[in-house]
Amino acid sequence: MRSHLLALSLVALAACTPTSEVARLQAVPPATTALAIYRPGAARPLPPSRPNAEMARDFIELGFAMESGRAIPAFSRFEGPVTIVTRGAVPATAIPDLDHLISRLRAEAGINVSRADEAAEGANLITVEFLPRRQMQAVVPAAACFVVPNVSTWQDFVANRRSAAIDWTRVVTRTRAAVFIPDDTTPQEIRDCLHEEIGQAFGPLNDLFRLSDSIFNDDNFQTTLTGFDMLLLRVWYAPELQPGMTRDQVSARLPTLFNRLNPAGRGSAGAIAGITPRAWQLAVEQALSSDGGLGQRRAGAERALEMARAQGWTDARYALSLMLNARLAPRTQGESALDSLLDAASIYRRSPGGEVHAAHIDMHLAVQALATGQTQLALDLTAQAMPLAERTENAAFLASLGFIRAEALAQAGRENEAERLRLDSMPAARYGFGSEDAARARMEEIARIGGAAQRLARL
């Protein structure tokens, strides 16, 4: 592909592209019209595909540490049936998405969970409360959404936010948890929050950047619970494990559990990833942050890449470092940024779950192909990426690919097909970007890129 994309090195890889699908979508008021909106079909998550021994090590790292690095001394989970209730101004799309998630948790993870209109007395309870983003971030400024133990309402959380009562490291048997989600953001961000925060309410409390096949990863490529995540939760609720077990006690039981629940993963010991330095995580977080300016983000990406190379990594952590540097590279470094993107895509294609990340890189390259009039290349790249967007139920990603592909079809003189694809992509765009106006803004942004290429061709 490198030879076909050589001309793209002249295009700044951080310019004129759709909003990064790596970062959380910006808050956009949800759609209020009766226009058609995206609904996924039957779930088809990418299956777990790594050796069981490797996934067992991930289980321990996810289950016995917080994101901050604080150790969790004892295994914890709910015991018995769990009820989920909602509170606040519940968005129209939230209940269907929550019911879809609950069905998956029951079928794929074997968890006894149901939704009710109100909490039953004495039941194990997860409350999902919706409230304005401004109200949430006045108390927890950096959170898009989050989960807290031992409370059931926002008022409970605020009253106890400095109390040991909501310290996850002290929880052994889970009985209550509350998930807080903004009610004034896009349907997709609400859905993503439901998956990640309810997944954490039931299971692991850590995120690992090296897990390309998991939602428990702060790079935000995986937006719904994956096959690996569901296997992890199924193991989490296996009868062989009990609340209060130590790290060593859980570790001793995991080989048998994973082999029983995932026979396809027996055999190889898998890769040993090694410790991820906290300094690298902080550099990546700086590169991903929307709060810092471009200079700060670029500096974070450069530090992350230096550390990844010093560690000798060849896995998803190195790929992410390469990709962030490419996305944030100055215009004068277009060719080296292109090389970094292609190297990252190659690593991701070899990584379980990484095909999703590679598909995002394909979208980025398709934009550049569109901008330089390489119509067939844009069509090939979007055709390669769209099945992954559909399978992972990423509506914003799917709509962006549809709009890029429509502009490429228009460049090729296939205007009827292009217009039909634009219309077909609008339900996903409304869901992903939050409103009819936001969806049309994304479509028009991409149309301007295609139009610029046509104007250049006439010069």
Side-chain angles (χ1 to χ4, degrees):
M1 184 184 292
R2 179 67 176 83
S3 60
H4 295 295
L5 288 170
L6 187 58
L8 301 189
S9 65
L10 302 177
V11 181
L13 291 173
C16 301
T17 62
T19 302
S20 170
E21 300 300 336
V22 176
R24 286 275 188 202
L25 295 170
Q26 296 297 311
V28 179
T32 57
T33 68
L35 293 169
I37 197 165
Y38 165 85
R39 298 303 318 162
R44 295 186 302 123
L46 295 170
S49 57
R50 290 183 289 127
N52 286 337
E54 185 178 325
M55 292 189 288
R57 290 191 289 269
D58 298 334
F59 184 105
I60 293 297
E61 194 169 347
L62 285 166
F64 285 88
M66 302 291 293
E67 288 185 60
S68 64
R70 292 175 63 208
I72 297 174
F75 178 71
S76 70
R77 72 179 187 193
F78 286 97
E79 289 289 283
V82 179
T83 301
I84 298 179
V85 298
T86 57
R87 290 175 53 89
V90 183
T93 59
I95 295 300
D97 283 339
L98 178 56
D99 287 344
H100 184 59
L101 171 58
I102 288 171
S103 294
R104 287 194 59 199
L105 288 168
R106 293 178 67 89
E108 298 172 46
I111 296 175
N112 187 351
V113 54
S114 58
R115 184 174 63 82
D117 293 332
E118 59 184 36
E121 190 69 28
N124 289 325
L125 182 67
I126 297 175
T127 304
V128 179
E129 183 162 354
F130 296 90
L131 63 160
R133 182 184 292 270
R134 179 164 36 180
Q135 183 179 351
M136 280 180 50
Q137 295 190 337
V139 179
V140 188
C145 47
F146 60 99
V147 60
V148 181
N150 297 327
V151 298
S152 298
T153 68
W154 177 255
Q155 289 75 17
D156 288 346
F157 164 66
V158 171
N160 289 280
R161 69 184 187 276
R162 294 183 177 88
S163 166
I166 62 168
D167 183 351
W168 277 111
T169 68
R170 298 177 180 231
V171 175
V172 177
T173 300
R174 304 182 191 186
T175 57
R176 284 188 300 159
V179 171
F180 300 111
I181 300 176
D183 61 14
D184 50 0
T185 189
T186 68
Q188 179 162 326
E189 183 170 351
I190 290 167
R191 189 279 315 275
D192 295 355
C193 283
L194 288 170
H195 276 248
E196 183 162 7
E197 305 308 329
I198 290 176
Q200 290 198 315
F202 277 111
L205 300 164
N206 197 3
D207 282 324
L208 300 175
F209 276 111
R210 62 179 172 75
L211 295 182
S212 52
D213 57 351
S214 176
I215 199 174
F216 304 119
N217 181 336
D218 279 335
D219 67 14
N220 291 330
F221 279 105
Q222 303 285 2
T223 56
T224 57
L225 289 163
T226 67
F228 164 74
D229 297 330
M230 289 297 188
L231 173 61
L232 183 145
L233 289 172
R234 184 175 283 276
V235 172
W236 202 281
Y237 283 84
E240 290 89 339
L241 301 183
Q242 297 174 358
M245 281 184 166
T246 66
R247 180 187 180 112
D248 288 345
Q249 288 173 327
V250 172
S251 293
R253 288 163 175 76
L254 290 182
T256 300
L257 275 172
F258 271 95
N259 286 339
R260 174 166 63 81
L261 295 173
N262 185 46
R266 294 174 178 172
S268 168
I272 298 177
I275 294 172
T276 302
R278 181 64 178 160
W280 180 86
Q281 295 181 51
L282 293 173
V284 169
E285 288 168 7
Q286 180 177 328
L288 289 171
S289 174
S290 59
D291 295 332
L294 178 59
Q296 289 186 19
R297 296 184 65 201
R298 187 175 289 159
E302 290 171 353
R303 281 201 314 278
L305 183 56
E306 289 173 3
M307 285 185 275
R309 285 172 171 159
Q311 292 287 328
W313 291 335
T314 58
D315 59 13
R317 293 168 293 184
Y318 182 46
L320 179 60
S321 303
L322 288 167
M323 193 207 69
L324 289 173
N325 270 267
R327 290 301 313 268
L328 297 169
R331 184 179 294 270
T332 55
Q333 297 177 13
E335 185 166 355
S336 63
L338 173 62
D339 287 336
S340 292
L341 267 188
L342 295 176
D343 288 347
S346 178
I347 294 168
Y348 278 133
R349 290 188 209 283
R350 299 193 302 268
S351 304
E355 56 266 53
V356 176
H357 304 61
H360 282 263
I361 294 175
D362 286 342
M363 179 186 73
H364 181 82
L365 295 174
V367 170
Q368 307 308 312
L370 186 67
T372 52
Q374 298 184 69
T375 303
Q376 188 57 51
L377 182 56
L379 290 171
D380 291 344
L381 287 164
T382 52
Q384 184 169 266
M386 288 183 85
L388 274 301
E390 292 172 349
R391 188 163 186 174
T392 57
E393 302 178 6
N394 190 330
F397 185 25
L398 183 62
S400 294
L401 289 167
F403 292 151
I404 295 165
R405 187 170 180 81
E407 289 310 311
L409 289 169
Q411 283 184 0
R414 297 156 63 181
E415 187 55 55
N416 288 340
E417 292 177 68
E419 185 57 27
R420 185 164 59 250
L421 183 54
R422 291 187 192 103
L423 291 173
D424 289 346
S425 299
M426 284 300 290
R430 294 183 194 106
Y431 182 92
F433 302 119
S435 69
E436 180 76 7
D437 287 346
R440 290 194 174 278
R442 174 54 59 90
M443 180 173 64
E444 290 164 7
E445 179 186 12
I446 293 169
R448 285 193 294 272
I449 296 170
Q454 291 175 335
R455 288 192 296 273
L456 286 171
R458 290 195 295 267
L459 293 178

